[in-house]
Amino acid sequence: MCIRDRYKALVQEAFDLVGILDLQANFLFASDSSTTVLGIPPEEFIGKNAFDFIHPDDKERVLKDFSKIEVQKKIKVAPFRFKDADENWRWFETNVSNMTTDPDVEGVVINSREVTDVIIKGRELQQLHERYELAAAATGDLIYDWDLETDTVKRFFTGKEKQFGYEKEEMDQRHFWRKHVHSEELEGLRKLLSSTLKDPQRKQIRTTYRFRRADGSYAHLIDRGMIVRDENGKALRVIGATSDISGLINRRDALRLANKRFTYAMKATQEMIWDWDLVNNSIDRGKSFKKVFGHATKDKPCVENFWFSRIIAEDQQRVINSLRMTLDDPSLNKWRQEYKLWKPNGEKAYVID
């Protein structure tokens, strides 16, 4: 057996597609694997041009690469589509070697490996990433996919250049997130996360914590994640969203402070401050109410049956009409009246309300 025949014998059972072309890309030889991979017997390739099987959209690029073989001894062609027996397009990547000067080969050797599944999965992954990006853009949240087996996290957020003042490249670094969680809350988060992931019945996790921004300030975050488990209940991934609720927390704290100040103001002032709930027809009055007017406020009596009845007769209807007219007029947001009312001891109190 000559060396060329030995070479052909070696590649007949090869899993990859092996062929020999001339410099015009016409098939001189094709391995038997073409039948199992493409459904095309090797003899059907002989004499045909390889580019007749390549997808029109890929042909120009592959031809450009193949033309380099006269100068370069070896080249690698990026994945392209190749037609099978059923007219389906299959993806292959190919190594090309110029062995035209080798008397035992006298041709260009191609070794092609199918990568259809890799290409499809890559595209599906890209589409998944695009969906994550769209979800992040739509919600304003930071979307993440945490692979627990490799302890790597992929984060997706809106088109902003930075998130919390950090570049995306910084945030993709390993352990970045846990290094920026507030030190007072990190250990508690670790324990909660560990216990939740170990419990095969748990499908979700929700946490709130502070996260250090690039400028040193802290953002208040709420984190909601769905836990992906295998058939044995082992946690494999956590896919979730992180929301910045700093504005809400700041408004809540400001409201709490404002309420505290209001309470102190009501205690300190000699005037009677009141807050009338029109929907439930109840009224809260300041501590000075009893001291100034001599009435207790514990039962929050309604305005009509308590307050109006104590206005002296000559002022009563004027005050009632004035107040109701103001409440009914959407353009008015202030009300003021001067009148007199009866104290429990029978004295008159002169009021500016």
Side-chain angles (χ1 to χ4, degrees):
M1 180 184 293
C2 69
I3 294 178
R4 185 170 183 177
D5 289 338
R6 288 176 184 170
Y7 174 79
K8 291 181 179 180
L10 285 172
V11 301
Q12 289 300 334
E13 301 302 323
F15 182 76
D16 293 344
L17 290 174
V18 180
I20 300 176
L21 311 177
D22 61 23
L23 290 174
Q24 288 72 47
N26 297 309
F27 275 98
L28 304 175
F29 164 80
S31 62
D32 286 346
S33 56
S34 68
T35 303
T36 55
V37 176
L38 293 170
I40 303 175
E43 58 270 16
E44 290 190 21
F45 282 107
I46 305 304
K48 293 180 181 177
N49 194 278
F51 287 95
D52 292 340
F53 297 87
I54 295 176
H55 195 284
D57 293 343
D58 300 331
K59 191 175 295 187
E60 184 177 348
R61 171 176 59 85
V62 178
L63 181 59
K64 184 178 179 180
D65 288 340
F66 185 79
S67 63
K68 298 175 184 176
I69 199 64
E70 294 190 47
V71 179
Q72 300 173 215
K73 286 294 182 181
K74 292 185 177 182
I75 60 172
K76 185 172 184 177
V77 182
F80 58 90
R81 284 160 289 185
F82 198 88
K83 191 189 305 181
D84 66 13
D86 297 321
E87 302 287 319
N88 296 317
W89 295 106
R90 314 274 284 276
W91 287 90
F92 288 88
E93 63 178 11
T94 300
N95 290 313
V96 184
S97 301
N98 188 343
M99 301 183 71
T100 54
T101 58
D102 187 326
D104 297 314
V105 179
E106 296 179 344
V108 176
V109 178
I110 58 170
N111 192 306
S112 299
R113 181 171 67 94
E114 185 172 6
V115 292
T116 303
D117 289 343
V118 175
I119 295 294
I120 291 174
K121 288 178 181 177
R123 286 184 170 178
E124 289 175 348
L125 184 61
Q126 179 61 33
Q127 289 175 353
L128 181 61
H129 285 185
E130 290 173 357
R131 289 176 187 146
Y132 279 145
E133 296 283 3
L134 289 172
T139 62
D141 292 341
L142 185 153
I143 308 295
Y144 63 87
D145 184 348
W146 180 14
D147 187 331
L148 297 171
E149 296 190 302
T150 62
D151 193 25
T152 56
V153 182
K154 186 69 177 175
R155 294 185 175 88
F156 310 87
F157 46 89
T158 57
K160 301 174 184 176
E161 292 184 4
K162 296 183 178 181
Q163 190 84 345
F164 305 112
Y166 300 105
E167 299 287 351
K168 190 176 187 303
E169 292 72 20
E170 294 179 88
M171 298 183 72
D172 284 340
Q173 292 177 6
R174 193 177 179 87
H175 305 314
F176 170 86
W177 203 257
R178 65 195 69 174
K179 289 179 180 178
H180 290 78
V181 173
H182 198 289
S183 58
E184 295 177 2
E185 297 166 345
L186 183 59
E187 189 58 31
L189 281 175
R190 281 176 174 164
K191 290 180 179 179
L192 175 61
L193 186 61
S194 176
S195 63
T196 303
L197 293 179
K198 287 178 181 178
D199 185 349
Q201 303 303 316
R202 297 290 297 273
K203 301 292 180 64
Q204 301 179 31
I205 184 168
R206 179 184 181 278
T207 55
T208 57
Y209 54 92
R210 287 169 289 173
F211 181 86
R212 189 174 71 251
R213 300 186 181 99
D215 63 6
S217 64
Y218 280 88
H220 293 266
L221 305 183
I222 182 169
D223 208 324
R224 305 177 186 88
M226 299 297 296
I227 304 170
V228 180
R229 300 181 182 274
D230 63 14
E231 63 276 7
N232 299 316
K234 179 184 177 183
L236 303 177
R237 312 177 81 86
V238 179
I239 300 172
T242 303
S243 305
D244 188 345
I245 57 171
S246 301
L248 180 63
I249 295 295
N250 293 338
R251 287 193 293 274
R252 185 194 66 187
D253 291 345
L255 180 61
R256 184 183 294 124
L257 180 59
N259 286 339
K260 183 180 290 186
R261 287 172 175 166
F262 182 70
T263 301
Y264 283 130
M266 290 180 71
K267 290 179 179 179
T269 185
Q270 289 300 308
E271 296 181 344
M272 192 275 289
I273 297 175
W274 52 273
D275 181 356
W276 183 12
D277 181 347
L278 295 166
V279 176
N280 298 305
N281 195 24
S282 64
I283 191 164
D284 286 308
R285 296 184 173 89
K287 296 290 185 181
S288 61
F289 177 65
K290 183 178 180 180
K291 182 167 57 179
V292 175
F293 298 102
H295 294 289
T297 61
K298 184 168 67 174
D299 56 351
K300 297 184 180 181
C302 70
V303 173
E304 288 84 352
N305 296 335
F306 175 76
W307 192 254
F308 288 163
S309 65
R310 281 159 175 76
I311 300 174
I312 65 172
E314 63 187 62
D315 292 340
Q316 191 177 93
Q317 200 56 49
R318 170 177 58 84
V319 173
I320 293 173
N321 291 342
S322 170
L323 183 56
R324 287 176 176 167
M325 182 190 71
T326 301
L327 294 177
D328 290 339
D329 189 341
S331 67
L332 298 178
N333 55 19
K334 291 182 180 180
W335 173 79
R336 183 184 187 277
Q337 282 292 318
E338 297 180 20
Y339 55 92
K340 298 179 288 295
L341 61 86
W342 295 109
K343 290 185 177 183
N345 61 8
E347 295 179 358
K348 287 182 181 180
Y350 291 82
V351 176
I352 299 175
D353 205 347

